[in-house]
Amino acid sequence: GPLPMSSGSLKQVGIDLASSYKVRLSATRSPPLSLVVVDLMVALGSSRPTELLLVAPRGFSFPPECLATSEEIVVHACRPGPMLAGQPTAELSAPEGASGILEGVRIKVWTPSAIPENRSWLLLGSDIATRETLGWG
């Protein structure tokens, strides 16, 4: 048969490839050691995660209830998650499954005392029932 044109079109028996998310985070201000609100926008592609794990750079932290507001009724809650490779995480709950483009989700986060060397954020989408990773970005 024809060869796959990209890794997105490659399927092997027993292996499902995760979707690639397009993620944008923005904040109007981010002074040191402050509680700020970050706007999250995610293009989820064809996946339908019921949980999103937001991984922040070292030095950031999330308050106990980190969901500031959500225009998207699919995101019901945000709480601090487990550390991942020394980086703080926040678990965003979407019990009905998020899909398409997720906008209007605002997350509260504490900023570090100094700008971290690595400022990359990561978002993992999973199915809470099966713990299967559905996508990342």
Side-chain angles (χ1 to χ4, degrees):
L3 295 174
M5 298 303 290
S6 71
S7 62
S9 64
L10 177 64
K11 284 269 193 186
Q12 293 183 354
V13 176
I15 299 175
D16 293 322
L17 298 178
S19 294
S20 176
Y21 296 160
K22 293 187 179 24
V23 180
R24 187 181 73 225
L25 286 141
S26 60
T28 54
R29 60 180 193 87
S30 58
L33 299 174
S34 297
L35 185 63
V36 299
V37 175
V38 176
D39 292 304
L40 173 67
M41 188 286 297
V42 187
L44 296 166
S46 61
S47 75
R48 196 171 173 83
T50 55
E51 182 177 78
L52 297 167
L53 184 71
L54 182 61
V55 183
R58 283 179 172 42
F60 285 85
S61 64
F62 297 96
E65 176 46 60
C66 47
L67 185 63
T69 57
S70 178
E71 294 171 16
E72 294 283 344
I73 59 171
V74 295
V75 176
H76 291 212
C78 175
R79 67 180 184 279
M83 295 292 275
L84 184 64
Q87 292 181 242
T89 67
E91 297 172 337
L92 287 81
S93 173
E96 305 301 318
S99 62
I101 296 177
L102 198 60
E103 292 183 279
V105 179
R106 305 183 79 213
I107 306 298
K108 294 184 275 188
V109 61
W110 285 100
T111 59
S113 58
I115 297 171
E117 185 177 313
N118 178 359
R119 293 181 282 184
S120 296
W121 293 68
L122 176 67
L123 187 74
L124 301 169
S126 63
D127 181 320
I128 195 76
T130 64
R131 302 308 293 167
E132 177 185 3
T133 299
L134 303 177
W136 60 275

